[in-house]
Amino acid sequence: MELAGRTVMVTGASGGIGEPLCAALIAAGARVLAVGRNEGRLRRLAQHLPAGALSWVAADVATDEGRAQVVRAAAAANPTPSVLVLAHAQGAFGLFADQSPEDMARLVQTNLVAPMLLVHALLPVLGTHTPASDVVVGSTFGSLAFPGFAAYSASKSGLRGLTEALAGEYADTPLRFQYLSPRATRTAFNTPAVDALNAELKTASDAPADVARHLVRAIERGTARMQIGWPEKLFARLNGLLPGLVDRSLRSRLPAVRKHARRSPLSTTEHVPHEAHPR
């Protein structure tokens, strides 16, 4: 897909990967319609990019009203978006038994239900373009669930399943669906407890700008599935082929996970992309 001249809508645009992703998309010639909850950060983002290259809408996509705002903004854009990048997320690091039902319900609403409903609402807009793409910024945890992130892993696994099913459902149309997974990324998305766990497990991590470049290349190439990073790519594949081997590896990490999870706030409700969790 040639991005020059296209409008790309990006949710989670004011987050750690969202900001460099918007810049990378604009560098590739696209116009960006940025979506985020933090109006001040969206304004500042627009000021640091070429004039007219980025417009924005401050909205919470986890709410009916917020999604309606986003759909109206998409319909009013000129040209309307031919690429939708779902890059928002809510994180939660902690032991499953310690998390409240309210926190878990809010996480699933944000990470899975809201993207599902937003894609559904924007299908008529995307369908006017040839080609068009729905891009999900996923997670290694969507393929390799990790202790301490049970609810988060469940939401990302569901999002991967949604994307793969829609790719099959629309296989004979110009609309494609892409599930692109960063590994640990150095952003404010992670809590101090997650940083400490990453350090103890010696988890490799990427700079947000590097992740953004990977994502833009994958959008241009039409990559259906992508896992960024090694050995994360290997472990995600092994989990599908030899899950027992991966289970044994994860079991050895349980003491570190439990130690840091008990020191962690039980959830973070900031809708920012995307992750600094161990992969």
Side-chain angles (χ1 to χ4, degrees):
M1 177 182 287
E2 174 62 51
L3 289 172
R6 292 181 178 272
T7 298
V8 180
M9 174 175 276
V10 179
T11 69
S14 57
I17 290 176
E19 292 188 2
L21 177 57
C22 290
L25 288 165
I26 288 168
R31 295 183 70 256
V32 170
L33 178 52
V35 179
R37 296 193 309 168
N38 191 319
E39 182 174 351
R41 292 189 68 170
L42 291 171
R43 287 183 182 275
R44 289 191 293 274
L45 178 61
Q47 291 168 358
H48 287 90
L49 293 170
L54 181 140
S55 56
W56 52 267
V57 54
D60 183 351
V61 297
T63 67
D64 292 340
E65 179 182 354
R67 288 190 298 276
Q69 286 179 260
V70 171
V71 173
R72 288 194 296 270
N78 184 23
T80 58
S82 55
V83 180
L84 169 64
V85 180
L86 295 164
H88 70 277
Q90 176 181 320
F93 174 49
L95 300 179
F96 183 73
D98 294 338
Q99 297 186 355
S100 72
E102 294 78 14
D103 283 342
M104 289 189 287
R106 184 164 55 248
L107 182 144
V108 173
Q109 175 69 27
T110 300
N111 291 1
L112 178 56
V113 177
M116 183 185 301
L117 296 178
L118 191 58
V119 170
H120 186 270
L122 289 173
L123 282 175
V125 174
L126 295 172
T128 63
H129 297 275
T130 303
S133 187
D134 172 73
V135 180
V136 174
V137 180
S139 168
T140 307
F141 290 171
S143 303
L144 181 64
F146 205 91
F149 299 90
Y152 181 81
S153 296
S155 70
K156 290 297 186 175
S157 296
L159 196 55
R160 178 172 63 88
L162 172 70
T163 307
E164 292 178 353
L166 289 175
E169 193 167 323
Y170 285 82
D172 58 352
T173 78
L175 177 57
R176 65 192 181 202
F177 292 82
Q178 301 172 254
Y179 185 84
L180 311 177
S181 301
R183 64 176 180 179
T185 306
R186 298 188 291 275
T187 76
F189 188 80
N190 58 313
T191 65
V194 172
D195 279 336
L197 178 62
N198 281 340
E200 181 166 342
L201 296 180
K202 296 181 173 58
T203 303
S205 62
D206 296 316
D210 292 336
V211 175
R213 285 192 289 271
H214 279 292
L215 295 174
V216 171
R217 284 198 295 269
I219 293 169
E220 291 174 326
R221 294 171 179 171
T223 306
R225 300 176 186 84
M226 179 181 71
Q227 171 61 58
I228 298 173
W230 189 269
E232 290 79 3
K233 184 179 297 186
L234 172 63
F235 279 114
R237 292 179 179 176
L238 280 176
N239 195 44
L241 296 172
L242 299 168
L245 181 64
V246 175
D247 289 345
R248 288 192 290 275
S249 175
L250 293 178
R251 186 185 180 97
S252 69
R253 303 183 184 193
L254 268 177
V257 170
R258 286 173 175 154
K259 177 177 68 175
H260 294 290
R262 291 190 176 105
R263 299 174 182 172
S264 175
L266 293 183
S267 69
T268 174
T269 58
E270 195 65 27
H271 298 194
V272 294
H274 221 56
E275 296 148 34
H277 302 319
R279 298 309 169 93

